[in-house]
Amino acid sequence: MYRVVLVDDERLIIRGLSTVIPWAELGCEIAGTAHDGVSGLELIRSIRPDIVLTDIRMPNMDGLTMLAAIRSEFPGIQMSVLTAYRDFEYARKAITLGVCRYLLKPSNLDELQEAVKLMVSRLDAMPQLPEDPDDESVKEAGNHLVKAALAYMKEHCTEQHLSLGEVADHVYVSQWHLSKLLNRETDQSFFDLLGSMRIAKAKKLLADPALRIHEIAEMAGFSDVAHFSRSFKKIAGCTPGEYRNHQM
């Protein structure tokens, strides 16, 4: 039996999906349900299901990033979307991230069963395949996650306590997985990337002669001037003061 996780913030939808689809006849069983994206991902990490049927328009959740997180971290999981969100470009992007079917609510039983049968057939074929049948979607998912992580880091880089864990939570993956993705896609670690972003911010601030070096250090996200100066020289090749003098 393939294990299935259902994720939807509408409890009525969860109950309906649990009862209307003949799961046992299709070789499946409901392994768990969740009512928001965060708890859904926690459940997926906990029980490692074979199939996920999920909505992507739930409160406090970036649906595409959640799909990318599942695809990147668990490439063998088969996913289908059941949503009321009618947007062609959004649906197209979901497909590139490895979604088997993008179904619109209300969806009839035939459409739902066809989606489940497709996911089951893909799972049945996997043992005979030398690798994941859609390596490209896994790569696309990784790219999506890295872009989302970098955008979040750029927006929050001046916050002194920004951590890998916070960014990983934002893109719905584990710290270990995000670290691996960042290294693979950028050839840099999280801390190297964060340092570069902070130094880029500091360079802009150094153009203002009214700001003192210790003020700039704090504004750029550094906890002390000594750390700021060491990091600046390592990345820019000169001290903050030398950089300022050269620019003026």
mmCIF file of all heavy atoms in Angstrom, residues 168-208:
data_model
loop_
_atom_site.group_PDB
_atom_site.id
_atom_site.type_symbol
_atom_site.label_atom_id
_atom_site.label_comp_id
_atom_site.label_asym_id
_atom_site.label_seq_id
_atom_site.Cartn_x
_atom_site.Cartn_y
_atom_site.Cartn_z
ATOM 1 N N ALA A 168 15.955 28.685 6.292
ATOM 2 C CA ALA A 168 15.457 27.347 5.947
ATOM 3 C C ALA A 168 13.971 27.221 6.257
ATOM 4 O O ALA A 168 13.205 26.661 5.462
ATOM 5 C CB ALA A 168 16.256 26.283 6.690
ATOM 6 N N ASP A 169 13.554 27.754 7.397
ATOM 7 C CA ASP A 169 12.130 27.729 7.752
ATOM 8 C C ASP A 169 11.312 28.508 6.723
ATOM 9 O O ASP A 169 10.184 28.113 6.389
ATOM 10 C CB ASP A 169 11.912 28.336 9.140
ATOM 11 C CG ASP A 169 12.376 27.425 10.258
ATOM 12 O OD1 ASP A 169 12.574 26.224 10.002
ATOM 13 O OD2 ASP A 169 12.558 27.920 11.388
ATOM 14 N N HIS A 170 11.860 29.605 6.240
ATOM 15 C CA HIS A 170 11.141 30.442 5.273
ATOM 16 C C HIS A 170 10.889 29.710 3.961
ATOM 17 O O HIS A 170 9.865 29.928 3.311
ATOM 18 C CB HIS A 170 11.930 31.720 5.003
ATOM 19 C CG HIS A 170 11.285 32.640 4.012
ATOM 20 N ND1 HIS A 170 10.156 33.379 4.293
ATOM 21 C CD2 HIS A 170 11.592 32.916 2.707
ATOM 22 C CE1 HIS A 170 9.800 34.073 3.228
ATOM 23 N NE2 HIS A 170 10.650 33.813 2.256
ATOM 24 N N VAL A 171 11.827 28.821 3.568
ATOM 25 C CA VAL A 171 11.659 28.093 2.304
ATOM 26 C C VAL A 171 11.257 26.636 2.538
ATOM 27 O O VAL A 171 11.325 25.808 1.628
ATOM 28 C CB VAL A 171 12.929 28.178 1.425
ATOM 29 C CG1 VAL A 171 13.193 29.610 1.015
ATOM 30 C CG2 VAL A 171 14.155 27.596 2.131
ATOM 31 N N TYR A 172 10.859 26.306 3.782
ATOM 32 C CA TYR A 172 10.249 25.010 4.111
ATOM 33 C C TYR A 172 11.165 23.799 3.967
ATOM 34 O O TYR A 172 10.692 22.691 3.675
ATOM 35 C CB TYR A 172 9.000 24.775 3.248
ATOM 36 C CG TYR A 172 8.010 25.904 3.244
ATOM 37 C CD1 TYR A 172 7.835 26.694 2.105
ATOM 38 C CD2 TYR A 172 7.250 26.211 4.365
ATOM 39 C CE1 TYR A 172 6.920 27.749 2.089
ATOM 40 C CE2 TYR A 172 6.345 27.264 4.356
ATOM 41 C CZ TYR A 172 6.189 28.027 3.221
ATOM 42 O OH TYR A 172 5.289 29.071 3.215
ATOM 43 N N VAL A 173 12.473 23.977 4.145
ATOM 44 C CA VAL A 173 13.374 22.821 4.092
ATOM 45 C C VAL A 173 14.214 22.785 5.359
ATOM 46 O O VAL A 173 14.254 23.739 6.137
ATOM 47 C CB VAL A 173 14.303 22.845 2.854
ATOM 48 C CG1 VAL A 173 13.502 22.714 1.576
ATOM 49 C CG2 VAL A 173 15.165 24.106 2.833
ATOM 50 N N SER A 174 14.929 21.689 5.550
ATOM 51 C CA SER A 174 15.811 21.577 6.706
ATOM 52 C C SER A 174 17.053 22.438 6.494
ATOM 53 O O SER A 174 17.418 22.784 5.367
ATOM 54 C CB SER A 174 16.230 20.115 6.911
ATOM 55 O OG SER A 174 17.041 19.686 5.822
ATOM 56 N N GLN A 175 17.726 22.778 7.595
ATOM 57 C CA GLN A 175 18.961 23.553 7.494
ATOM 58 C C GLN A 175 19.999 22.819 6.663
ATOM 59 O O GLN A 175 20.694 23.422 5.843
ATOM 60 C CB GLN A 175 19.527 23.819 8.896
ATOM 61 C CG GLN A 175 18.657 24.696 9.770
ATOM 62 C CD GLN A 175 19.309 24.995 11.102
ATOM 63 O OE1 GLN A 175 20.476 25.356 11.168
ATOM 64 N NE2 GLN A 175 18.554 24.838 12.182
ATOM 65 N N TRP A 176 20.101 21.524 6.896
ATOM 66 C CA TRP A 176 21.084 20.723 6.167
ATOM 67 C C TRP A 176 20.813 20.768 4.666
ATOM 68 O O TRP A 176 21.733 20.945 3.864
ATOM 69 C CB TRP A 176 21.041 19.277 6.662
ATOM 70 C CG TRP A 176 21.937 18.368 5.879
ATOM 71 C CD1 TRP A 176 23.260 18.149 6.074
ATOM 72 C CD2 TRP A 176 21.571 17.565 4.736
ATOM 73 N NE1 TRP A 176 23.750 17.270 5.135
ATOM 74 C CE2 TRP A 176 22.741 16.891 4.307
ATOM 75 C CE3 TRP A 176 20.372 17.358 4.049
ATOM 76 C CZ2 TRP A 176 22.734 16.026 3.212
ATOM 77 C CZ3 TRP A 176 20.372 16.495 2.958
ATOM 78 C CH2 TRP A 176 21.538 15.839 2.550
ATOM 79 N N HIS A 177 19.551 20.645 4.286
ATOM 80 C CA HIS A 177 19.218 20.615 2.866
ATOM 81 C C HIS A 177 19.458 21.980 2.219
ATOM 82 O O HIS A 177 19.991 22.063 1.106
ATOM 83 C CB HIS A 177 17.765 20.191 2.661
ATOM 84 C CG HIS A 177 17.433 19.870 1.237
ATOM 85 N ND1 HIS A 177 17.948 18.782 0.575
ATOM 86 C CD2 HIS A 177 16.667 20.528 0.326
ATOM 87 C CE1 HIS A 177 17.507 18.761 -0.669
ATOM 88 N NE2 HIS A 177 16.730 19.816 -0.846
ATOM 89 N N LEU A 178 19.091 23.049 2.913
ATOM 90 C CA LEU A 178 19.327 24.383 2.351
ATOM 91 C C LEU A 178 20.819 24.655 2.206
ATOM 92 O O LEU A 178 21.259 25.217 1.198
ATOM 93 C CB LEU A 178 18.682 25.455 3.232
ATOM 94 C CG LEU A 178 18.909 26.895 2.760
ATOM 95 C CD1 LEU A 178 18.366 27.112 1.353
ATOM 96 C CD2 LEU A 178 18.286 27.891 3.727
ATOM 97 N N SER A 179 21.596 24.266 3.198
ATOM 98 C CA SER A 179 23.048 24.452 3.117
ATOM 99 C C SER A 179 23.618 23.740 1.902
ATOM 100 O O SER A 179 24.465 24.286 1.177
ATOM 101 C CB SER A 179 23.706 23.930 4.402
ATOM 102 O OG SER A 179 25.102 24.102 4.352
ATOM 103 N N LYS A 180 23.140 22.527 1.665
ATOM 104 C CA LYS A 180 23.597 21.751 0.506
ATOM 105 C C LYS A 180 23.216 22.436 -0.798
ATOM 106 O O LYS A 180 24.028 22.532 -1.733
ATOM 107 C CB LYS A 180 22.989 20.342 0.556
ATOM 108 C CG LYS A 180 23.441 19.437 -0.594
ATOM 109 C CD LYS A 180 22.791 18.073 -0.504
ATOM 110 C CE LYS A 180 21.312 18.132 -0.858
ATOM 111 N NZ LYS A 180 20.713 16.780 -0.984
ATOM 112 N N LEU A 181 21.988 22.941 -0.891
ATOM 113 C CA LEU A 181 21.526 23.620 -2.099
ATOM 114 C C LEU A 181 22.329 24.894 -2.373
ATOM 115 O O LEU A 181 22.726 25.163 -3.511
ATOM 116 C CB LEU A 181 20.047 23.967 -1.979
ATOM 117 C CG LEU A 181 19.046 22.817 -2.075
ATOM 118 C CD1 LEU A 181 17.638 23.331 -1.802
ATOM 119 C CD2 LEU A 181 19.101 22.153 -3.439
ATOM 120 N N LEU A 182 22.568 25.692 -1.333
ATOM 121 C CA LEU A 182 23.316 26.936 -1.503
ATOM 122 C C LEU A 182 24.735 26.653 -1.981
ATOM 123 O O LEU A 182 25.255 27.339 -2.874
ATOM 124 C CB LEU A 182 23.350 27.721 -0.188
ATOM 125 C CG LEU A 182 22.028 28.345 0.256
ATOM 126 C CD1 LEU A 182 22.165 28.940 1.646
ATOM 127 C CD2 LEU A 182 21.565 29.417 -0.729
ATOM 128 N N ASN A 183 25.362 25.656 -1.394
ATOM 129 C CA ASN A 183 26.719 25.297 -1.818
ATOM 130 C C ASN A 183 26.748 24.809 -3.256
ATOM 131 O O ASN A 183 27.652 25.147 -4.018
ATOM 132 C CB ASN A 183 27.296 24.227 -0.887
ATOM 133 C CG ASN A 183 27.937 24.812 0.347
ATOM 134 O OD1 ASN A 183 29.053 25.306 0.305
ATOM 135 N ND2 ASN A 183 27.222 24.771 1.453
ATOM 136 N N ARG A 184 25.734 24.021 -3.622
ATOM 137 C CA ARG A 184 25.690 23.464 -4.977
ATOM 138 C C ARG A 184 25.414 24.539 -6.019
ATOM 139 O O ARG A 184 26.035 24.555 -7.087
ATOM 140 C CB ARG A 184 24.609 22.386 -5.051
ATOM 141 C CG ARG A 184 24.598 21.619 -6.379
ATOM 142 C CD ARG A 184 23.497 20.597 -6.394
ATOM 143 N NE ARG A 184 22.187 21.225 -6.542
ATOM 144 C CZ ARG A 184 21.032 20.602 -6.318
ATOM 145 N NH1 ARG A 184 21.028 19.348 -5.904
ATOM 146 N NH2 ARG A 184 19.880 21.234 -6.482
ATOM 147 N N GLU A 185 24.499 25.457 -5.729
ATOM 148 C CA GLU A 185 24.080 26.438 -6.722
ATOM 149 C C GLU A 185 24.975 27.671 -6.770
ATOM 150 O O GLU A 185 25.052 28.332 -7.807
ATOM 151 C CB GLU A 185 22.637 26.875 -6.436
ATOM 152 C CG GLU A 185 21.599 25.761 -6.518
ATOM 153 C CD GLU A 185 21.438 25.212 -7.921
ATOM 154 O OE1 GLU A 185 21.630 25.974 -8.882
ATOM 155 O OE2 GLU A 185 21.125 24.013 -8.059
ATOM 156 N N THR A 186 25.642 28.021 -5.666
ATOM 157 C CA THR A 186 26.422 29.262 -5.625
ATOM 158 C C THR A 186 27.906 29.043 -5.353
ATOM 159 O O THR A 186 28.693 29.988 -5.463
ATOM 160 C CB THR A 186 25.883 30.213 -4.533
ATOM 161 O OG1 THR A 186 26.174 29.672 -3.240
ATOM 162 C CG2 THR A 186 24.380 30.422 -4.687
ATOM 163 N N ASP A 187 28.275 27.816 -4.987
ATOM 164 C CA ASP A 187 29.658 27.518 -4.594
ATOM 165 C C ASP A 187 30.095 28.321 -3.372
ATOM 166 O O ASP A 187 31.292 28.567 -3.173
ATOM 167 C CB ASP A 187 30.642 27.767 -5.747
ATOM 168 C CG ASP A 187 30.488 26.763 -6.875
ATOM 169 O OD1 ASP A 187 30.233 25.580 -6.570
ATOM 170 O OD2 ASP A 187 30.608 27.146 -8.045
ATOM 171 N N GLN A 188 29.132 28.759 -2.580
ATOM 172 C CA GLN A 188 29.426 29.498 -1.356
ATOM 173 C C GLN A 188 28.568 28.964 -0.217
ATOM 174 O O GLN A 188 27.487 28.425 -0.436
ATOM 175 C CB GLN A 188 29.146 30.998 -1.533
ATOM 176 C CG GLN A 188 30.028 31.692 -2.551
ATOM 177 C CD GLN A 188 29.751 33.181 -2.587
ATOM 178 O OE1 GLN A 188 30.127 33.915 -1.674
ATOM 179 N NE2 GLN A 188 29.084 33.643 -3.625
ATOM 180 N N SER A 189 29.086 29.149 0.996
ATOM 181 C CA SER A 189 28.313 28.753 2.170
ATOM 182 C C SER A 189 27.306 29.842 2.520
ATOM 183 O O SER A 189 27.384 30.974 2.031
ATOM 184 C CB SER A 189 29.246 28.524 3.365
ATOM 185 O OG SER A 189 29.772 29.775 3.822
ATOM 186 N N PHE A 190 26.381 29.504 3.401
ATOM 187 C CA PHE A 190 25.404 30.477 3.875
ATOM 188 C C PHE A 190 26.105 31.699 4.467
ATOM 189 O O PHE A 190 25.746 32.848 4.183
ATOM 190 C CB PHE A 190 24.496 29.835 4.926
ATOM 191 C CG PHE A 190 23.654 30.809 5.692
ATOM 192 C CD1 PHE A 190 22.505 31.349 5.146
ATOM 193 C CD2 PHE A 190 24.023 31.218 6.983
ATOM 194 C CE1 PHE A 190 21.721 32.269 5.846
ATOM 195 C CE2 PHE A 190 23.249 32.123 7.694
ATOM 196 C CZ PHE A 190 22.107 32.646 7.121
ATOM 197 N N PHE A 191 27.114 31.458 5.302
ATOM 198 C CA PHE A 191 27.782 32.563 5.986
ATOM 199 C C PHE A 191 28.601 33.421 5.022
ATOM 200 O O PHE A 191 28.695 34.640 5.209
ATOM 201 C CB PHE A 191 28.651 32.019 7.124
ATOM 202 C CG PHE A 191 27.840 31.389 8.218
ATOM 203 C CD1 PHE A 191 27.761 30.013 8.344
ATOM 204 C CD2 PHE A 191 27.128 32.180 9.104
ATOM 205 C CE1 PHE A 191 26.998 29.436 9.347
ATOM 206 C CE2 PHE A 191 26.351 31.609 10.114
ATOM 207 C CZ PHE A 191 26.290 30.239 10.231
ATOM 208 N N ASP A 192 29.190 32.808 4.002
ATOM 209 C CA ASP A 192 29.904 33.596 2.986
ATOM 210 C C ASP A 192 28.938 34.482 2.214
ATOM 211 O O ASP A 192 29.223 35.654 1.938
ATOM 212 C CB ASP A 192 30.647 32.677 2.016
ATOM 213 C CG ASP A 192 31.857 32.015 2.661
ATOM 214 O OD1 ASP A 192 32.347 32.549 3.679
ATOM 215 O OD2 ASP A 192 32.302 30.965 2.161
ATOM 216 N N LEU A 193 27.792 33.928 1.853
ATOM 217 C CA LEU A 193 26.786 34.702 1.129
ATOM 218 C C LEU A 193 26.258 35.849 1.983
ATOM 219 O O LEU A 193 26.115 36.977 1.504
ATOM 220 C CB LEU A 193 25.626 33.787 0.712
ATOM 221 C CG LEU A 193 25.927 32.775 -0.397
ATOM 222 C CD1 LEU A 193 24.858 31.699 -0.437
ATOM 223 C CD2 LEU A 193 26.017 33.471 -1.751
ATOM 224 N N LEU A 194 25.976 35.546 3.242
ATOM 225 C CA LEU A 194 25.469 36.566 4.144
ATOM 226 C C LEU A 194 26.499 37.674 4.344
ATOM 227 O O LEU A 194 26.166 38.870 4.328
ATOM 228 C CB LEU A 194 25.107 35.937 5.491
ATOM 229 C CG LEU A 194 24.530 36.872 6.559
ATOM 230 C CD1 LEU A 194 23.263 37.554 6.056
ATOM 231 C CD2 LEU A 194 24.254 36.097 7.850
ATOM 232 N N GLY A 195 27.754 37.284 4.502
ATOM 233 C CA GLY A 195 28.813 38.280 4.663
ATOM 234 C C GLY A 195 28.932 39.181 3.456
ATOM 235 O O GLY A 195 29.077 40.409 3.591
ATOM 236 N N SER A 196 28.850 38.615 2.274
ATOM 237 C CA SER A 196 28.944 39.409 1.044
ATOM 238 C C SER A 196 27.790 40.402 0.932
ATOM 239 O O SER A 196 27.976 41.537 0.498
ATOM 240 C CB SER A 196 28.961 38.489 -0.179
ATOM 241 O OG SER A 196 30.119 37.684 -0.183
ATOM 242 N N MET A 197 26.596 39.959 1.320
ATOM 243 C CA MET A 197 25.432 40.852 1.276
ATOM 244 C C MET A 197 25.602 42.016 2.254
ATOM 245 O O MET A 197 25.270 43.161 1.943
ATOM 246 C CB MET A 197 24.156 40.068 1.599
ATOM 247 C CG MET A 197 23.747 39.090 0.523
ATOM 248 S SD MET A 197 22.292 38.121 1.026
ATOM 249 C CE MET A 197 22.109 37.030 -0.379
ATOM 250 N N ARG A 198 26.125 41.708 3.425
ATOM 251 C CA ARG A 198 26.318 42.761 4.422
ATOM 252 C C ARG A 198 27.401 43.748 3.998
ATOM 253 O O ARG A 198 27.273 44.960 4.208
ATOM 254 C CB ARG A 198 26.659 42.119 5.774
ATOM 255 C CG ARG A 198 25.451 41.471 6.438
ATOM 256 C CD ARG A 198 25.821 40.713 7.693
ATOM 257 N NE ARG A 198 24.612 40.303 8.418
ATOM 258 C CZ ARG A 198 24.594 39.427 9.421
ATOM 259 N NH1 ARG A 198 25.737 38.875 9.830
ATOM 260 N NH2 ARG A 198 23.469 39.120 10.018
ATOM 261 N N ILE A 199 28.453 43.249 3.378
ATOM 262 C CA ILE A 199 29.521 44.145 2.907
ATOM 263 C C ILE A 199 29.010 45.017 1.764
ATOM 264 O O ILE A 199 29.357 46.204 1.666
ATOM 265 C CB ILE A 199 30.754 43.331 2.466
ATOM 266 C CG1 ILE A 199 31.359 42.598 3.666
ATOM 267 C CG2 ILE A 199 31.789 44.237 1.811
ATOM 268 C CD1 ILE A 199 31.714 43.476 4.841
ATOM 269 N N ALA A 200 28.177 44.454 0.894
ATOM 270 C CA ALA A 200 27.586 45.252 -0.188
ATOM 271 C C ALA A 200 26.750 46.384 0.385
ATOM 272 O O ALA A 200 26.775 47.516 -0.128
ATOM 273 C CB ALA A 200 26.732 44.352 -1.089
ATOM 274 N N LYS A 201 26.009 46.094 1.456
ATOM 275 C CA LYS A 201 25.229 47.131 2.132
ATOM 276 C C LYS A 201 26.152 48.173 2.748
ATOM 277 O O LYS A 201 25.912 49.394 2.657
ATOM 278 C CB LYS A 201 24.360 46.483 3.213
ATOM 279 C CG LYS A 201 23.560 47.461 4.062
ATOM 280 C CD LYS A 201 22.482 48.163 3.266
ATOM 281 C CE LYS A 201 21.613 49.008 4.172
ATOM 282 N NZ LYS A 201 20.559 49.733 3.409
ATOM 283 N N ALA A 202 27.225 47.706 3.363
ATOM 284 C CA ALA A 202 28.168 48.623 4.005
ATOM 285 C C ALA A 202 28.819 49.557 2.995
ATOM 286 O O ALA A 202 29.038 50.738 3.282
ATOM 287 C CB ALA A 202 29.232 47.820 4.751
ATOM 288 N N LYS A 203 29.133 49.059 1.823
ATOM 289 C CA LYS A 203 29.749 49.897 0.789
ATOM 290 C C LYS A 203 28.843 51.070 0.430
ATOM 291 O O LYS A 203 29.323 52.198 0.222
ATOM 292 C CB LYS A 203 30.052 49.057 -0.457
ATOM 293 C CG LYS A 203 31.242 48.121 -0.294
ATOM 294 C CD LYS A 203 31.474 47.325 -1.567
ATOM 295 C CE LYS A 203 32.709 46.444 -1.459
ATOM 296 N NZ LYS A 203 32.930 45.650 -2.693
ATOM 297 N N LYS A 204 27.560 50.824 0.346
ATOM 298 C CA LYS A 204 26.623 51.905 0.044
ATOM 299 C C LYS A 204 26.579 52.922 1.187
ATOM 300 O O LYS A 204 26.536 54.133 0.957
ATOM 301 C CB LYS A 204 25.225 51.334 -0.205
ATOM 302 C CG LYS A 204 25.133 50.465 -1.460
ATOM 303 C CD LYS A 204 23.725 49.907 -1.640
ATOM 304 C CE LYS A 204 23.636 49.046 -2.893
ATOM 305 N NZ LYS A 204 22.282 48.468 -3.079
ATOM 306 N N LEU A 205 26.613 52.418 2.415
ATOM 307 C CA LEU A 205 26.559 53.302 3.565
ATOM 308 C C LEU A 205 27.834 54.138 3.709
ATOM 309 O O LEU A 205 27.789 55.279 4.193
ATOM 310 C CB LEU A 205 26.337 52.485 4.843
ATOM 311 C CG LEU A 205 24.984 51.772 4.952
ATOM 312 C CD1 LEU A 205 24.990 50.803 6.132
ATOM 313 C CD2 LEU A 205 23.848 52.772 5.096
ATOM 314 N N LEU A 206 28.964 53.593 3.284
ATOM 315 C CA LEU A 206 30.233 54.315 3.384
ATOM 316 C C LEU A 206 30.274 55.556 2.497
ATOM 317 O O LEU A 206 31.129 56.427 2.678
ATOM 318 C CB LEU A 206 31.399 53.383 3.027
ATOM 319 C CG LEU A 206 31.801 52.379 4.115
ATOM 320 C CD1 LEU A 206 32.677 51.271 3.537
ATOM 321 C CD2 LEU A 206 32.508 53.075 5.271
ATOM 322 N N ALA A 207 29.356 55.635 1.561
ATOM 323 C CA ALA A 207 29.296 56.814 0.688
ATOM 324 C C ALA A 207 28.780 58.040 1.435
ATOM 325 O O ALA A 207 28.911 59.173 0.951
ATOM 326 C CB ALA A 207 28.412 56.524 -0.525
ATOM 327 N N ASP A 208 28.192 57.812 2.599
ATOM 328 C CA ASP A 208 27.679 58.922 3.403
ATOM 329 C C ASP A 208 28.734 59.314 4.434
ATOM 330 O O ASP A 208 28.948 58.597 5.422
ATOM 331 C CB ASP A 208 26.389 58.499 4.101
ATOM 332 C CG ASP A 208 25.741 59.629 4.883
ATOM 333 O OD1 ASP A 208 26.361 60.704 5.010
ATOM 334 O OD2 ASP A 208 24.616 59.432 5.375
#
